[in-house]
Amino acid sequence: MTSALNARHLASADKGLLRFITCGSVDDGKSTLIGRLLYDTRLIFEDQLASLQMESARRGARGGGIDFSLLLDGLEAEREQGITIDVAYRFFATGRRKFIVADTPGHEQYTRNMATGASTADLAVILIDARKGVLVQTRRHTFINHLLGVPRIVLAVNKMDLVGYSQARFEEIVADYMAMAAGLGFKSVTPIPLSALEGENVIAPSALMPWWTGESLLGFLEEVEVEDARLASAMRFPVQWVNRPHLDFRGFSGTLASGALAPGDPVVVARSGKTSKIRAVVTADGDLDRAEAGDAVTLVLEHEIDISRGDILCAPSARPTVARQFLSHVLWMHEDELQPGRPYLLKMGAQSVQAVVSAVRHRLDINTLSPAPAETLELNGMGLCEITTLQPVAFDRYRDNRETGAFILIDRFSHQTVAAGMVEASLQKATHVYSQAMDVSKPARSVLKGHKPAVLWFTGLSGAGKSTIASLVERRLSLMGAHTYSLDGDNMRQGLNKDLGFSDADRVENIRRIGEVARLFVDAGLIVTASFISPFRAERDMVRSLLEPGEFIEIFVDTPLSVAEQRDPKGLYRRARAGEIGNFTGISSPYEPPVDPEIRLLAGEGDPAAHAATVVEYLRIAGVLARAEDAPLEFSI
Amino acid sequence: MSGSSLLGATPATVALDASLEAYARRFRDRPGRAKPLSPQLRRLEAESIFIMREVAASFEKPVMLYSIGKDSSVMLHLALKAFWPSPPPFPFLHVDTTWKFSEMIVFRDLIMKKLGLNLLVHVNEEGLRRGINPYASGSGLHTQVMKTESLRQALDAHGFDAAFGGARRDEEKSRAKERIFSFRSQSHGWDPKNQRPELWTLYNTRKAPGESIRVFPISNWTELDIWSYLAEEEIPIVPLYFSAQRPTIERGGQIFMVDDDRTPLAPGEAPQMRGVRFRTLGCYPLTAAVESPAADIDAVIAEMLTATTSERSGRLIDHDESGSMEKKKREGYF
Ligand SMILES: Nc1nc2c(ncn2[C@@H]2O[C@H](COP(=O)(O)OP(=O)(O)OP(=O)(O)O)[C@@H](O)[C@H]2O)c(=O)[nH]1
Ligand SMILES: [Mg+2]
């Protein structure tokens, strides 16, 4: 490394930092381009260069040359397959500014890693292979940049060496791309022809493209303006951590997300509407007269008001929206598709709440870049969704504030990050301030689950098929994202009802307890399947009376005694007939069939799966499976 | 002056004691700063503080790995700032291989004492019993047993659910790929092909019991940023980073310091005094010195700007094979 670099390194970064990404279709030359940039700006150390040369030779790089992509593709698997899998972050500086570049994968399978890189970028360099032109991935990445609000695009038409540095080909591709990107509202789209491999027009103008009068890539990146939109936005201070070393100090630590603040400024807590004034802006270096977006500080307020992690402090005159329902662009990032109605954990700033995607309004067709109808989103799918949260959250529209309008969804069981979201609009009419913490009530839980709670009470003779059908129903419901639980003789008799025998009195008590347990699960918002012979009408009616109208669904599994006895799966009928078991329903004790059950299944014949389908169809028609948006939303607070 | 030095009161230890005492006093008296931090460092500092607060607020039992080196010194400094006036709400952990430079250990104990922090030191006793050492066992096995396994032992023994590490993305090509919040399985393994997406600053801190997360708050700092910050913030570091006459030997074209009598010498070989310093600090038999006259931080920075080799070129453990850092990380190394 010569001292040319060192001058570059040292010089003040007048133009500020530029964070950019490279993206585009697989093999378009993204990693090669960054490797070339690092190499040509002399940022590769001798020991690194030596191992790069060795590795290039070992992997059989073209003509004994250097494979620059190996500088970036740092994982074994990447080097073996010759593709980028995950984003690499590299840092470099020139005389004019500092750069953080994220080299992202082109392969569709790893789109989420591309999005990871794009979420913090000021600019995206979208590469196109000059031989191939605009591909599906070019479109997808362009759109993701648009969704994530990356303001500027450089369209790098690469591999110009392979098209004879043809001006006509370059212009053709640019025209294609511009036609596609025109409506997406980028601040600028700057086309630049280059060859990453040969280093043509990467850091200096190329003699091989005399027709190109524009800048080289690096020349452009050094000059391009980056605006920090955060400074111009309204003040938002998300509280990250309550700082309480002793009784005399209570501060709120956080990083100012946007705007500026100073001691004396009035503030309001977005969700509670409580107001106070800033007394001091504390840091370990002394108290500040002023803090602005990006500063990590600790605020001390004039009044003792209730504030905790997740609260957002703002100016009383410019508050964020506080709501439980909003419309959002969603990028789905997991192999398991989005399940409307299934609860996820939503993390937005320091706020973490449970949430459901209550509806997918549409998905984006990547070929036409236009909306298409959809029920769900699959891996790498993008679409517009309605989100409902259990508690109100404070947010801004993403286009107004990237810091307070973005969220991720986390699967509650696998803990994987499954989606990224960008708020488009609130779905509640007024911006309310919720002045009190909300009760988590039965309707609230129901909204969260995306369905209504219910008890599916399967009654019928021993061997009628209750448990078989109930478990098929449960399986179908859980596939639909419903939260179910099954109660049966096995889990009740062995635990809670261990002390009960089979006398008439004990049987009644058994059912009463089961009814109470079912009621609790219904209160928790679940769909309960209960499979019990429950021969007496009075007991079943007692359970019904514990629940609200519509919640108790009596399913008569109507199998003739002769059929049940013939099936005799546990050999009980035989033993009852032999007098070994007393009080056996149908033999030595009566069964009182329901008079007017919600569902009657003729289960002496037919396929259990068909009976299960009948039950699910009933639930759908009865509105039990209705999505959250159909459930009452405005509940007491 | 509070606290006495651990060695005899040589001029060097007296000076160290005084500088660490003055450092600790800064966090008690908060004298304020003479000149503002440069914008680039201020941005990096704020980013790191945000990450540390996020961990303190989201995990039950975090710990900060403290390896005594310059990156750890920056991390410690950031932690002191992030929570001020509270002390850092987590303990510090040093995984000691018993082969660290003795000056490092003196520095470690003194700075922790001056700052009144809770330092845990873990040594893999079983490894010691097995006689693992860098000379006889080789760098690979030594690192595996005394660092990687030892770290796993310590994390498991205390049940830490998040651990801060001072790794930087500019150090090595697989580190350039790692998330800031890096998820580790129950056996502490890293799965580089299946990392969680990490958008904006929305870090996913969720995990199942037994799993853990490694957090790298200085991921986006470069070596130059670290040195500039140490200089601007006047953070004390182990004197080995600055040139002095030290007893050395040559092995395989590299210079090593003879830190104590455990270094095997050839018959008739005597250590030679050389003006050397270190770019990184690890186990002394595995960390090569550079010959240099740079005796203060400005001289070190000036030299770094003309350096032709990378920082880790002096680390023997990195050169066993290409991809060896990734391999170690998959096994639970930081
Ligand atoms: N002829 C020619 N080949 C190039 C050029 N740029 C890249 N390549 C070759 O294209 C191939 C793919 O390059 P990479 O840099 O790995 O592509 P990438 O876009 O990073 O690929 P992914 O990250 O896997 O999506 C390699 O064989 C490169 O040598 C160029 O300008 N001209
Ligand atoms: Mg690549």
Side-chain angles (χ1 to χ4, degrees):
Chain A
M1 193 151 65
T2 71
S3 50
L5 155 71
N6 309 321
R8 298 184 136 200
H9 242 325
L10 256 191
S12 64
D14 328 302
K15 277 280 184 178
L17 174 78
L18 179 74
R19 293 184 80 122
F20 72 100
I21 59 168
T22 52
C23 55
S25 198
V26 70
D27 272 355
D28 282 351
K30 300 175 288 296
S31 304
T32 307
L33 177 64
I34 300 306
R36 173 54 90 171
L37 262 177
L38 296 176
Y39 180 77
D40 285 354
T41 50
R42 297 173 184 279
L43 276 153
I44 309 303
F45 290 110
E46 280 169 7
D47 52 316
Q48 293 169 334
L49 190 59
S51 73
L52 174 66
Q53 277 161 341
M54 262 168 49
E55 178 108 12
S56 298
R58 198 151 63 80
R59 308 243 175 222
R62 185 198 63 134
I66 293 176
D67 180 349
F68 292 105
S69 71
L70 292 175
L71 279 172
L72 277 297
D73 292 337
L75 302 176
E76 268 304 305
E78 295 179 323
R79 302 155 91 81
E80 267 154 27
Q81 299 172 43
I83 58 163
T84 304
I85 291 175
D86 213 330
V87 50
Y89 295 91
R90 299 300 294 248
F91 311 85
F92 68 103
T94 69
R96 297 189 182 275
R97 74 171 4 146
K98 296 210 176 216
F99 300 91
I100 299 181
V101 53
D103 177 39
T104 75
H107 202 292
E108 181 184 349
Q109 188 185 343
Y110 306 114
T111 301
R112 57 181 170 228
N113 298 333
M114 177 270 167
T116 291
S119 68
T120 49
D122 304 312
L123 177 147
V125 177
I126 297 191
L127 276 86
I128 292 190
D129 183 331
R131 295 167 305 175
K132 298 185 183 157
V134 176
L135 302 173
V136 177
Q137 272 303 79
T138 322
R139 267 201 284 272
R140 177 176 279 115
H141 283 184
T142 300
F143 203 81
I144 290 175
N145 281 306
H146 158 71
L147 276 187
L148 290 174
V150 178
R152 294 181 192 278
I153 300 288
V154 168
L155 179 67
V157 180
N158 187 34
K159 306 198 186 181
M160 288 299 290
D161 53 311
L162 297 179
V163 296
Y165 296 101
S166 155
Q167 179 176 9
R169 180 62 184 146
F170 172 71
E171 281 168 0
E172 185 186 356
I173 291 171
V174 172
D176 268 5
Y177 185 85
M178 291 300 188
M180 181 227 348
L184 296 179
F186 293 112
K187 269 209 183 98
S188 65
V189 179
T190 310
I192 298 182
L194 51 85
S195 167
L197 191 67
E198 307 292 346
E200 295 297 327
N201 206 30
V202 175
I203 68 161
S206 161
L208 297 172
M209 290 179 278
W211 48 266
W212 177 247
T213 53
E215 283 173 295
S216 68
L217 177 65
L218 186 63
F220 177 78
L221 295 177
E222 283 183 318
E223 290 301 326
V224 64
E225 291 298 330
V226 287
E227 306 81 4
D228 192 345
R230 297 179 307 171
L231 296 179
S233 307
M235 193 278 276
R236 300 282 181 259
F237 185 82
V239 174
Q240 232 187 327
W241 189 73
V242 178
N243 196 335
R244 185 115 231 226
H246 46 73
L247 290 177
D248 301 332
F249 187 94
R250 182 161 173 262
F252 305 100
S253 298
T255 297
L256 189 51
S258 56
L261 56 77
D265 285 358
V267 290
V268 54
V269 183
R271 279 189 297 199
S272 70
K274 296 263 162 48
T275 57
S276 185
K277 214 182 232 190
I278 297 173
R279 183 195 295 168
V281 182
V282 175
T283 77
D285 290 321
D287 292 358
L288 305 182
D289 298 335
R290 180 187 138 85
E292 60 181 39
D295 289 345
V297 296
T298 297
L299 301 185
V300 177
L301 303 183
E302 291 289 354
H303 311 91
E304 280 276 329
I305 54 175
D306 186 14
I307 297 176
S308 53
R309 173 173 165 86
D311 276 321
I312 293 183
L313 304 183
C314 56
S317 55
R319 308 183 189 199
T321 306
V322 177
R324 286 184 42 256
Q325 285 185 293
F326 49 87
L327 201 58
S328 173
H329 293 287
V330 169
L331 167 63
W332 196 256
M333 304 190 294
H334 200 266
E335 285 76 9
D336 298 341
E337 66 183 31
L338 182 163
Q339 288 186 26
R342 180 187 165 114
Y344 297 99
L345 194 77
L346 180 145
K347 183 169 183 191
M348 185 184 246
Q351 307 175 87
S352 286
V353 295
Q354 289 195 39
V356 294
V357 176
S358 31
V360 177
R361 286 229 178 140
H362 61 74
R363 71 178 172 85
L364 184 89
D365 180 330
I366 208 68
N367 290 304
T368 59
L369 292 185
S370 54
E375 301 268 289
T376 180
L377 294 175
E378 289 168 358
L379 177 64
N380 302 325
M382 288 172 263
L384 192 63
C385 299
E386 294 172 20
I387 311 276
T388 303
T389 59
L390 181 54
Q391 287 101 20
V393 286
F395 58 83
D396 293 290
R397 296 196 311 170
Y398 185 74
R399 64 178 68 183
D400 296 334
N401 197 322
R402 258 165 100 158
E403 308 292 317
T404 49
F407 62 89
I408 54 172
L409 296 180
I410 299 170
D411 187 272
R412 295 189 311 157
F413 302 99
S414 70
H415 307 296
Q416 292 295 320
T417 306
V418 294
M422 289 125 296
V423 176
E424 183 60 25
S426 168
L427 283 175
Q428 283 171 333
K429 278 164 225 94
T431 297
H432 340 343
V433 165
Y434 287 73
S435 53
Q436 278 166 38
M438 180 175 40
D439 274 358
V440 183
S441 58
K442 182 150 98 178
R445 294 186 201 100
S446 158
V447 165
L448 188 65
K449 300 271 178 238
H451 55 72
K452 295 188 186 122
V455 175
L456 310 183
W457 190 275
F458 293 83
T459 172
L461 295 172
S462 173
K466 300 180 295 295
S467 303
T468 309
I469 298 171
S471 77
L472 288 170
V473 168
E474 194 178 11
R475 197 170 314 157
R476 293 178 70 124
L477 290 177
S478 63
L479 282 176
M480 298 164 74
H483 192 176
T484 62
Y485 192 77
S486 80
L487 296 175
D488 57 28
D490 285 345
N491 60 20
M492 292 302 296
R493 282 271 180 194
Q494 281 165 21
L496 184 60
N497 292 356
K498 203 154 46 181
D499 56 326
L500 300 178
F502 290 87
S503 68
D504 281 355
D506 277 3
R507 283 177 162 224
V508 171
E509 176 60 9
N510 181 40
I511 297 296
R512 188 192 70 80
R513 291 186 196 173
I514 292 164
E516 290 291 350
V517 170
R519 192 174 68 89
L520 289 176
F521 278 119
V522 163
D523 195 46
L526 278 67
I527 297 179
V528 181
T529 62
S531 314
F532 298 95
I533 298 174
S534 48
F536 305 119
R537 233 167 258 144
E539 304 162 356
R540 297 192 300 262
D541 289 346
M542 173 196 51
V543 177
R544 186 186 290 269
S545 72
L546 290 173
L547 297 158
E548 284 174 34
E551 287 177 350
F552 184 81
I553 295 160
E554 190 173 22
I555 301 165
F556 179 24
V557 184
D558 190 0
T559 301
L561 178 61
S562 58
V563 177
E565 187 168 359
Q566 199 192 331
R567 289 179 185 160
D568 202 10
K570 298 175 197 157
L572 296 174
Y573 283 97
R574 199 167 30 80
R575 292 173 59 204
R577 290 279 184 207
E580 289 169 30
I581 307 175
N583 268 340
F584 194 80
T585 302
I587 308 289
S588 45
S589 176
Y591 178 80
E592 300 171 9
V595 181
D596 189 15
E598 273 76 7
I599 305 171
R600 177 163 168 240
L601 302 172
L602 297 175
E605 55 205 61
D607 179 7
H611 294 308
T614 305
V615 175
V616 173
E617 192 48 31
Y618 173 89
L619 297 178
R620 197 192 303 279
I621 293 167
V624 173
L625 299 180
R627 283 189 179 145
E629 70 217 0
D630 304 326
L633 272 172
E634 289 310 321
F635 38 84
S636 62
I637 49 174
Chain B
M1 207 184 300
S2 72
S4 57
S5 67
L6 298 164
L7 296 181
T10 67
T13 54
V14 170
L16 182 65
D17 193 286
S19 92
L20 295 183
E21 174 61 26
Y23 182 61
R25 209 179 310 120
R26 267 157 64 186
F27 294 97
R28 292 196 296 269
D29 307 346
R30 205 171 53 130
R33 59 186 318 132
K35 65 175 197 287
L37 197 57
S38 55
Q40 151 89 353
L41 294 176
R42 193 165 139 162
R43 187 185 59 73
L44 287 168
E45 179 187 75
E47 178 182 274
S48 304
I49 288 177
F50 176 86
I51 293 163
M52 289 184 181
R53 289 171 172 171
E54 203 63 7
V55 169
S58 317
F59 289 89
E60 274 167 27
K61 224 180 156 191
V63 66
M64 180 170 279
L65 274 286
Y66 177 74
S67 70
I68 325 174
K70 61 183 192 312
D71 300 308
S72 284
S73 298
V74 167
M75 249 204 326
L76 167 62
H77 187 77
L78 290 165
L80 291 166
K81 285 185 131 183
F83 303 101
W84 199 93
S86 296
F90 38 74
F92 292 78
L93 170 67
H94 180 225
V95 176
D96 193 349
T97 61
T98 72
W99 290 89
K100 301 295 167 187
F101 293 88
S102 51
E103 276 187 70
M104 292 170 72
I105 303 301
V106 171
F107 184 92
R108 175 194 78 188
D109 292 342
L110 197 55
I111 194 168
M112 288 292 160
K113 185 171 167 199
K114 296 284 186 194
L115 291 168
L117 297 176
N118 176 10
L119 174 76
L120 308 165
V121 176
H122 182 80
V123 175
N124 184 351
E125 297 293 344
E126 197 229 298
L128 284 187
R129 269 196 300 280
R130 280 165 59 197
I132 302 292
N133 78 70
Y135 294 117
S137 321
S139 64
L141 185 63
H142 169 75
T143 303
Q144 164 78 21
V145 174
M146 299 309 287
K147 283 178 90 171
T148 310
E149 281 175 20
S150 185
L151 172 65
R152 288 202 307 236
Q153 283 172 358
L155 297 179
D156 288 344
H158 294 277
F160 293 124
D161 55 357
F164 291 106
R168 308 189 321 266
R169 284 169 171 162
D170 80 327
E171 277 178 88
E172 203 272 340
K173 58 190 183 305
S174 67
R175 285 201 158 146
K177 295 267 165 185
E178 194 164 11
R179 300 283 188 258
I180 290 176
F181 281 62
S182 182
F183 175 82
R184 300 302 170 97
S185 67
Q186 289 205 337
S187 57
H188 300 275
W190 180 49
D191 181 2
K193 282 200 286 184
N194 203 11
Q195 299 194 81
R196 293 173 174 178
E198 190 168 84
L199 287 94
W200 302 288
T201 53
L202 296 176
Y203 302 112
N204 179 350
T205 57
R206 309 282 293 191
K207 49 160 206 65
E211 296 166 344
S212 64
I213 293 190
R214 306 280 168 92
V215 183
F216 302 105
I218 56 169
S219 284
N220 289 333
W221 296 54
T222 63
E223 188 187 8
L224 181 62
D225 294 326
I226 292 289
W227 282 107
S228 310
Y229 189 72
L230 289 168
E232 286 195 34
E233 291 284 290
E234 298 176 42
I235 300 170
I237 50 175
V238 182
L240 290 163
Y241 284 110
F242 304 116
S243 180
Q245 289 293 315
R246 298 189 165 100
T248 60
I249 51 166
E250 239 187 277
R251 291 285 182 273
Q254 289 186 302
I255 299 170
F256 293 90
M257 181 170 159
V258 179
D259 196 62
D260 57 34
D261 55 13
R262 290 181 292 176
T263 306
L265 298 175
E269 183 182 11
Q272 223 187 310
M273 296 304 282
R274 286 187 176 91
V276 294
R277 64 179 180 89
F278 294 85
R279 280 177 81 182
T280 81
L281 290 180
C283 296
Y284 72 78
L286 302 177
T287 311
V290 289
E291 288 204 81
S292 154
D296 62 32
I297 199 156
D298 293 332
V300 167
I301 292 176
E303 266 191 11
M304 186 183 34
L305 292 173
T306 57
T308 58
T309 56
S310 75
E311 174 187 4
R312 297 196 74 91
S313 61
R315 290 267 196 153
L316 291 190
I317 58 163
D318 287 357
H319 303 305
D320 300 348
E321 56 188 285
S322 179
S324 74
M325 175 67 82
E326 178 186 344
K327 192 163 153 281
K328 287 203 293 286
K329 289 170 89 69
R330 284 193 298 225
E331 291 163 357
Y333 186 73
F334 245 87

